[in-house]
Amino acid sequence: MLASHVPDAFARDGDALAEALRAAGIDSAVADHVKRLRDRLRAARYGPRGLGDAAELAAEIEQVLRVLGAESGL
């Protein structure tokens, strides 16, 4: 989903993600939320075990994907 809004892989990494999403027309609050969520997802995947609630994180990802889909007209 991120690639459909931000095709450049380098722009999807690090702090550039939120800025690239805003440039693609995504609401600023949603763009910031996506960046924070991406960071939490990476921490859950690559960080110490037991970091965060997987079900809660999955539900939040689903919600953000719906919002991104709605904003792109998908």
Side-chain angles (χ1 to χ4, degrees):
M1 179 64 73
L2 288 179
S4 70
H5 292 285
V6 183
D8 180 1
F10 292 109
R12 291 191 309 265
D13 197 31
D15 293 334
L17 176 61
E19 183 177 328
L21 286 169
R22 284 190 290 274
I26 301 298
D27 178 74
S28 183
V30 173
D32 291 338
H33 187 167
V34 170
K35 183 202 171 295
R36 286 191 308 273
L37 182 57
R38 192 247 358 244
D39 292 345
R40 286 178 42 220
L41 182 60
R42 285 183 175 171
R45 171 64 178 101
Y46 300 109
R49 292 215 178 261
L51 184 63
D53 179 5
E56 179 182 313
L57 187 57
E60 191 171 347
I61 290 168
E62 291 280 336
Q63 178 185 13
V64 166
L65 288 174
R66 281 192 303 273
V67 169
L68 286 175
E71 289 204 3
S72 68
L74 294 177

Coordinates of all heavy atoms in Angstrom, one line a residue:
M1 N 0.8 -1.2 0.0 CA 0.0 0.0 0.0 C 0.9 1.3 0.0 O 0.6 2.2 -0.7 CB -0.9 0.0 1.2 CG -1.8 1.2 1.3 SD -3.0 1.4 0.0 CE -4.2 0.2 0.4
L2 N 2.0 1.2 0.8 CA 2.8 2.4 0.8 C 3.4 2.7 -0.6 O 3.5 3.8 -1.0 CB 3.9 2.2 1.8 CG 3.5 2.3 3.3 CD1 4.7 2.1 4.2 CD2 2.9 3.7 3.6
A3 N 3.8 1.6 -1.3 CA 4.4 1.8 -2.6 C 3.5 2.4 -3.6 O 3.9 3.1 -4.5 CB 4.9 0.4 -3.1
S4 N 2.2 2.2 -3.4 CA 1.2 2.8 -4.3 C 1.2 4.3 -4.1 O 0.9 5.1 -5.0 CB -0.2 2.2 -4.2 OG -0.8 2.6 -3.0
H5 N 1.5 4.8 -2.9 CA 1.5 6.2 -2.6 C 2.9 6.8 -2.8 O 3.0 8.0 -3.2 CB 1.0 6.5 -1.2 CG -0.4 6.2 -1.0 ND1 -1.4 7.0 -1.4 CD2 -1.0 5.1 -0.3 CE1 -2.6 6.4 -1.1 NE2 -2.4 5.3 -0.4
V6 N 3.9 6.0 -2.5 CA 5.3 6.5 -2.5 C 6.1 5.5 -3.2 O 6.6 4.6 -2.6 CB 5.8 6.8 -1.1 CG1 7.3 7.3 -1.2 CG2 4.9 7.7 -0.3
P7 N 6.2 5.5 -4.6 CA 6.9 4.5 -5.3 C 8.4 4.4 -5.0 O 9.0 3.3 -5.1 CB 6.7 4.9 -6.8 CG 5.7 6.0 -6.8 CD 5.6 6.5 -5.4
D8 N 9.1 5.5 -4.6 CA 10.5 5.5 -4.4 C 10.8 4.8 -3.0 O 10.4 5.3 -2.0 CB 11.0 7.0 -4.4 CG 12.5 7.1 -4.1 OD1 13.2 6.1 -3.9 OD2 13.0 8.3 -4.0
A9 N 11.5 3.7 -3.1 CA 11.8 2.9 -1.9 C 12.6 3.8 -0.8 O 12.4 3.6 0.4 CB 12.5 1.7 -2.2
F10 N 13.5 4.6 -1.3 CA 14.2 5.4 -0.4 C 13.4 6.4 0.4 O 13.6 6.8 1.5 CB 15.4 6.1 -1.1 CG 16.4 5.2 -1.6 CD1 16.5 4.9 -3.0 CD2 17.3 4.5 -0.7 CE1 17.5 4.0 -3.4 CE2 18.2 3.6 -1.2 CZ 18.3 3.3 -2.6
A11 N 12.3 6.9 -0.3 CA 11.4 7.9 0.3 C 10.5 7.2 1.4 O 10.0 7.9 2.2 CB 10.6 8.6 -0.7
R12 N 10.4 5.9 1.3 CA 9.6 5.2 2.3 C 10.4 4.8 3.5 O 9.8 4.2 4.4 CB 9.0 3.9 1.6 CG 8.0 4.1 0.6 CD 7.2 2.9 0.2 NE 8.1 1.8 -0.2 CZ 8.5 1.5 -1.4 NH1 8.1 2.2 -2.5 NH2 9.2 0.4 -1.7
D13 N 11.6 5.1 3.6 CA 12.5 4.7 4.7 C 12.8 5.9 5.6 O 12.8 7.0 5.1 CB 13.8 4.1 4.2 CG 14.5 3.3 5.2 OD1 13.8 2.7 6.1 OD2 15.7 3.3 5.2
G14 N 12.9 5.6 6.9 CA 13.3 6.7 7.8 C 12.3 7.8 7.9 O 11.1 7.5 7.7
D15 N 12.7 8.9 8.3 CA 11.9 10.1 8.5 C 11.2 10.6 7.3 O 10.3 11.4 7.3 CB 12.6 11.2 9.2 CG 13.0 10.8 10.7 OD1 12.4 9.9 11.2 OD2 14.0 11.3 11.2
A16 N 11.7 10.2 6.1 CA 11.2 10.8 4.8 C 9.8 10.2 4.5 O 9.1 10.8 3.7 CB 12.2 10.4 3.7
L17 N 9.4 9.2 5.2 CA 8.1 8.5 4.8 C 7.0 9.5 5.0 O 6.1 9.7 4.1 CB 7.9 7.3 5.7 CG 6.5 6.6 5.5 CD1 6.3 6.2 4.0 CD2 6.4 5.5 6.4
A18 N 6.8 10.1 6.2 CA 5.7 11.1 6.4 C 5.7 12.2 5.4 O 4.7 12.6 4.9 CB 5.8 11.6 7.8
E19 N 6.9 12.8 5.1 CA 7.0 13.9 4.2 C 6.5 13.4 2.8 O 5.8 14.1 2.1 CB 8.4 14.4 4.1 CG 8.6 15.6 3.2 CD 10.0 16.1 3.2 OE1 10.6 16.1 4.3 OE2 10.4 16.6 2.2
A20 N 7.0 12.2 2.4 CA 6.6 11.7 1.0 C 5.1 11.4 1.0 O 4.5 11.7 -0.1 CB 7.4 10.4 0.8
L21 N 4.5 10.9 2.0 CA 3.1 10.7 2.0 C 2.3 12.0 1.9 O 1.3 12.1 1.2 CB 2.7 9.9 3.3 CG 3.0 8.4 3.3 CD1 2.8 7.8 4.7 CD2 2.2 7.6 2.3
R22 N 2.8 13.0 2.7 CA 2.1 14.3 2.6 C 2.2 14.8 1.1 O 1.2 15.4 0.6 CB 2.7 15.3 3.6 CG 2.2 15.0 5.0 CD 2.7 16.2 5.9 NE 4.1 16.2 6.1 CZ 4.7 15.5 7.1 NH1 4.1 14.7 7.9 NH2 6.0 15.6 7.2
A23 N 3.4 14.7 0.5 CA 3.6 15.1 -0.9 C 2.7 14.4 -1.8 O 2.3 14.9 -2.9 CB 5.0 15.0 -1.3
A24 N 2.3 13.1 -1.5 CA 1.4 12.3 -2.3 C -0.1 12.6 -2.1 O -0.9 12.0 -2.6 CB 1.7 10.8 -2.1
G25 N -0.3 13.6 -1.2 CA -1.7 14.0 -0.9 C -2.4 13.4 0.3 O -3.5 13.6 0.5
I26 N -1.6 12.7 1.1 CA -2.1 12.1 2.3 C -2.2 13.1 3.4 O -1.2 13.9 3.6 CB -1.3 10.9 2.8 CG1 -1.3 9.8 1.7 CG2 -1.8 10.3 4.1 CD1 -2.6 9.2 1.3
D27 N -3.3 13.2 4.2 CA -3.4 14.1 5.3 C -2.2 14.0 6.2 O -1.7 12.9 6.5 CB -4.7 13.7 6.0 CG -5.0 14.6 7.2 OD1 -5.3 15.8 7.1 OD2 -4.7 14.1 8.4
S28 N -1.8 15.1 6.7 CA -0.6 15.2 7.6 C -0.7 14.3 8.8 O 0.3 13.6 9.2 CB -0.4 16.6 8.0 OG 0.8 16.7 8.8
A29 N -1.8 14.3 9.5 CA -2.0 13.4 10.7 C -1.9 12.0 10.3 O -1.3 11.2 11.1 CB -3.3 13.7 11.4
V30 N -2.5 11.6 9.2 CA -2.4 10.2 8.7 C -1.0 9.8 8.4 O -0.5 8.8 8.7 CB -3.4 9.9 7.5 CG1 -3.2 8.5 7.0 CG2 -4.8 10.2 8.0
A31 N -0.3 10.7 7.7 CA 1.1 10.5 7.3 C 2.0 10.3 8.5 O 2.8 9.3 8.6 CB 1.6 11.6 6.4
D32 N 1.8 11.1 9.5 CA 2.6 11.0 10.8 C 2.2 9.7 11.5 O 3.1 9.0 12.0 CB 2.3 12.2 11.7 CG 2.9 13.4 11.2 OD1 3.8 13.4 10.3 OD2 2.5 14.5 11.6
H33 N 1.0 9.3 11.5 CA 0.5 8.0 12.1 C 1.2 6.8 11.4 O 1.6 5.9 12.0 CB -1.0 8.0 12.1 CG -1.5 6.8 12.9 ND1 -2.8 6.7 13.2 CD2 -1.0 5.7 13.4 CE1 -3.0 5.6 13.8 NE2 -1.9 5.0 14.0
V34 N 1.2 6.9 10.1 CA 1.8 5.8 9.3 C 3.2 5.6 9.6 O 3.7 4.5 9.8 CB 1.6 6.0 7.8 CG1 2.4 5.0 6.9 CG2 0.1 5.9 7.4
K35 N 4.0 6.7 9.7 CA 5.4 6.7 10.1 C 5.6 6.0 11.4 O 6.4 5.2 11.6 CB 6.0 8.0 10.0 CG 7.5 8.0 10.3 CD 8.0 9.3 10.7 CE 9.5 9.2 11.2 NZ 9.6 8.4 12.4
R36 N 4.8 6.5 12.4 CA 4.9 6.0 13.8 C 4.6 4.5 13.8 O 5.2 3.7 14.4 CB 4.0 6.7 14.8 CG 4.6 8.1 15.1 CD 3.8 8.7 16.3 NE 2.3 8.7 16.1 CZ 1.7 9.7 15.4 NH1 2.3 10.7 15.0 NH2 0.3 9.6 15.3
L37 N 3.5 4.1 13.1 CA 3.1 2.7 13.0 C 4.2 1.9 12.3 O 4.5 0.8 12.8 CB 1.8 2.6 12.3 CG 1.2 1.2 12.2 CD1 1.0 0.6 13.5 CD2 -0.1 1.3 11.4
R38 N 4.8 2.3 11.3 CA 5.8 1.6 10.6 C 7.0 1.4 11.5 O 7.6 0.3 11.6 CB 6.3 2.4 9.3 CG 7.2 1.6 8.4 CD 8.7 2.0 8.3 NE 9.1 3.2 9.0 CZ 9.5 4.3 8.4 NH1 9.5 4.5 7.1 NH2 9.9 5.3 9.2
D39 N 7.3 2.4 12.3 CA 8.4 2.3 13.3 C 8.1 1.3 14.4 O 8.9 0.5 14.8 CB 8.7 3.6 13.9 CG 9.4 4.6 12.9 OD1 9.8 4.2 11.8 OD2 9.4 5.8 13.3
R40 N 6.8 1.3 14.8 CA 6.4 0.3 15.9 C 6.4 -1.1 15.3 O 6.8 -2.1 16.0 CB 5.0 0.6 16.4 CG 5.0 1.8 17.3 CD 3.6 2.2 17.8 NE 2.8 1.1 18.2 CZ 1.5 1.1 17.9 NH1 0.9 2.0 17.3 NH2 0.8 0.0 18.3
L41 N 6.0 -1.3 14.0 CA 6.0 -2.6 13.4 C 7.4 -3.1 13.3 O 7.7 -4.3 13.6 CB 5.3 -2.5 12.0 CG 5.2 -3.8 11.2 CD1 4.4 -4.8 12.0 CD2 4.6 -3.5 9.9
R42 N 8.3 -2.3 12.9 CA 9.7 -2.7 12.8 C 10.3 -3.1 14.1 O 11.0 -4.1 14.3 CB 10.6 -1.6 12.2 CG 10.4 -1.5 10.7 CD 11.3 -0.4 10.1 NE 11.2 -0.4 8.6 CZ 11.7 0.5 7.9 NH1 12.4 1.5 8.4 NH2 11.6 0.4 6.6
A43 N 9.9 -2.3 15.2 CA 10.4 -2.6 16.5 C 9.9 -3.9 17.0 O 10.6 -4.8 17.6 CB 10.0 -1.5 17.5
A44 N 8.6 -4.2 16.7 CA 8.0 -5.5 17.1 C 8.6 -6.6 16.3 O 8.8 -7.7 16.9 CB 6.5 -5.4 16.8
R45 N 9.0 -6.4 15.1 CA 9.5 -7.5 14.2 C 11.0 -7.7 14.5 O 11.4 -8.9 14.6 CB 9.4 -7.1 12.7 CG 10.1 -8.0 11.8 CD 9.5 -9.4 11.8 NE 10.2 -10.3 10.8 CZ 11.1 -11.1 11.1 NH1 11.5 -11.3 12.3 NH2 11.6 -11.9 10.2
Y46 N 11.8 -6.7 14.7 CA 13.2 -6.8 14.9 C 13.7 -6.6 16.3 O 14.9 -6.8 16.5 CB 13.9 -5.9 13.9 CG 13.6 -6.2 12.4 CD1 12.8 -5.4 11.7 CD2 14.0 -7.4 11.9 CE1 12.4 -5.7 10.4 CE2 13.7 -7.7 10.5 CZ 12.9 -6.8 9.8 OH 12.5 -7.1 8.5
G47 N 12.9 -6.1 17.1 CA 13.3 -5.8 18.5 C 13.1 -7.0 19.4 O 12.9 -8.1 19.0
P48 N 13.3 -6.8 20.7 CA 13.2 -7.9 21.7 C 11.8 -8.5 21.6 O 10.8 -7.8 21.4 CB 13.4 -7.2 23.0 CG 13.9 -5.8 22.7 CD 13.6 -5.5 21.3
R49 N 11.7 -9.8 21.9 CA 10.4 -10.5 21.9 C 9.5 -9.9 23.0 O 10.0 -9.4 24.0 CB 10.6 -11.9 22.1 CG 11.3 -12.6 21.0 CD 10.7 -14.0 20.9 NE 11.3 -14.7 19.8 CZ 10.8 -14.8 18.6 NH1 9.6 -14.3 18.4 NH2 11.4 -15.5 17.6
G50 N 8.2 -9.9 22.7 CA 7.3 -9.5 23.7 C 7.0 -8.0 23.7 O 6.4 -7.4 24.6
L51 N 7.6 -7.3 22.7 CA 7.4 -5.8 22.6 C 6.1 -5.5 22.0 O 5.9 -5.7 20.8 CB 8.5 -5.2 21.8 CG 8.6 -3.7 21.7 CD1 8.8 -3.1 23.0 CD2 9.7 -3.3 20.7
G52 N 5.1 -5.1 22.8 CA 3.8 -4.7 22.2 C 2.9 -5.9 22.1 O 3.2 -7.0 22.2
D53 N 1.6 -5.5 21.8 CA 0.6 -6.5 21.6 C 0.4 -6.7 20.1 O 0.0 -5.8 19.4 CB -0.7 -6.0 22.3 CG -1.9 -6.9 22.1 OD1 -1.7 -8.0 21.6 OD2 -3.0 -6.5 22.5
A54 N 0.7 -7.9 19.6 CA 0.6 -8.2 18.2 C -0.8 -8.0 17.7 O -1.0 -7.5 16.6 CB 1.1 -9.6 17.9
A55 N -1.8 -8.4 18.4 CA -3.2 -8.2 17.9 C -3.6 -6.8 17.8 O -4.2 -6.4 16.8 CB -4.2 -9.0 18.9
E56 N -3.2 -6.0 18.8 CA -3.5 -4.5 18.7 C -2.7 -3.9 17.6 O -3.3 -3.1 16.8 CB -3.0 -3.9 20.0 CG -3.2 -2.4 20.1 CD -2.7 -1.8 21.4 OE1 -3.0 -2.4 22.5 OE2 -2.1 -0.8 21.3
L57 N -1.5 -4.3 17.3 CA -0.7 -3.7 16.2 C -1.4 -4.1 14.9 O -1.5 -3.3 14.0 CB 0.7 -4.2 16.3 CG 1.7 -3.6 15.3 CD1 1.8 -2.1 15.4 CD2 3.1 -4.2 15.6
A58 N -1.8 -5.4 14.8 CA -2.4 -5.8 13.5 C -3.7 -5.1 13.3 O -4.0 -4.7 12.1 CB -2.7 -7.3 13.6
A59 N -4.5 -4.8 14.3 CA -5.8 -4.1 14.1 C -5.5 -2.6 13.7 O -6.2 -2.1 12.9 CB -6.6 -4.1 15.5
E60 N -4.5 -2.0 14.3 CA -4.1 -0.7 13.9 C -3.6 -0.6 12.4 O -4.0 0.3 11.7 CB -3.0 -0.1 14.8 CG -2.8 1.4 14.7 CD -1.9 1.9 15.7 OE1 -1.6 1.3 16.7 OE2 -1.5 3.1 15.5
I61 N -2.9 -1.6 12.0 CA -2.4 -1.7 10.6 C -3.6 -1.8 9.7 O -3.7 -1.1 8.7 CB -1.4 -2.9 10.4 CG1 -0.1 -2.6 11.2 CG2 -1.2 -3.1 9.0 CD1 0.8 -3.8 11.3
E62 N -4.6 -2.6 10.0 CA -5.8 -2.8 9.2 C -6.5 -1.5 9.1 O -6.9 -1.1 8.0 CB -6.7 -3.8 9.8 CG -6.2 -5.2 9.8 CD -6.4 -5.9 8.4 OE1 -7.3 -5.5 7.7 OE2 -5.6 -6.8 8.1
Q63 N -6.6 -0.7 10.2 CA -7.3 0.6 10.2 C -6.6 1.6 9.3 O -7.2 2.2 8.4 CB -7.4 1.1 11.6 CG -8.1 2.4 11.7 CD -8.1 3.0 13.1 OE1 -7.3 2.5 13.9 NE2 -8.8 4.0 13.3
V64 N -5.3 1.6 9.4 CA -4.5 2.6 8.6 C -4.6 2.2 7.1 O -4.7 3.1 6.2 CB -3.0 2.6 9.1 CG1 -2.1 3.3 8.1 CG2 -3.0 3.3 10.4
L65 N -4.5 0.9 6.8 CA -4.6 0.5 5.4 C -6.0 0.9 4.8 O -6.0 1.3 3.6 CB -4.4 -1.0 5.3 CG -3.0 -1.5 5.5 CD1 -2.9 -3.0 5.5 CD2 -2.0 -0.9 4.5
R66 N -7.0 0.8 5.6 CA -8.4 1.2 5.1 C -8.4 2.7 4.8 O -8.9 3.2 3.8 CB -9.5 0.9 6.1 CG -9.9 -0.6 6.1 CD -11.1 -0.8 6.8 NE -11.1 -0.5 8.3 CZ -10.6 -1.3 9.2 NH1 -10.2 -2.5 8.9 NH2 -10.6 -0.8 10.5
V67 N -7.8 3.5 5.7 CA -7.7 5.0 5.6 C -6.9 5.3 4.3 O -7.3 6.1 3.5 CB -7.1 5.6 6.8 CG1 -6.8 7.1 6.5 CG2 -8.1 5.5 8.0
L68 N -5.7 4.7 4.1 CA -4.9 4.9 3.0 C -5.6 4.6 1.7 O -5.5 5.3 0.7 CB -3.6 4.2 3.1 CG -2.6 4.7 4.0 CD1 -1.3 3.8 4.1 CD2 -2.1 6.1 3.7
G69 N -6.4 3.5 1.7 CA -7.1 3.0 0.6 C -8.2 4.0 0.2 O -8.5 4.3 -0.9
A70 N -8.9 4.6 1.3 CA -9.9 5.5 1.1 C -9.4 6.8 0.5 O -10.0 7.5 -0.3 CB -10.7 5.8 2.4
E71 N -8.2 7.2 1.0 CA -7.6 8.5 0.5 C -7.1 8.4 -0.9 O -7.0 9.4 -1.6 CB -6.5 8.9 1.5 CG -7.0 9.4 2.8 CD -6.1 10.4 3.5 OE1 -5.0 10.7 3.0 OE2 -6.4 10.7 4.6
S72 N -6.8 7.2 -1.3 CA -6.3 7.0 -2.7 C -7.4 6.7 -3.7 O -7.2 6.6 -4.9 CB -5.2 5.9 -2.8 OG -5.8 4.7 -2.6
G73 N -8.6 6.5 -3.2 CA -9.8 6.2 -4.0 C -9.8 4.7 -4.4 O -10.5 4.3 -5.4
L74 N -9.0 3.9 -3.7 CA -9.0 2.4 -4.1 C -10.3 1.7 -3.6 O -10.9 2.0 -2.7 CB -7.8 1.7 -3.4 CG -6.5 2.2 -4.0 CD1 -5.3 1.5 -3.2 CD2 -6.3 1.9 -5.4

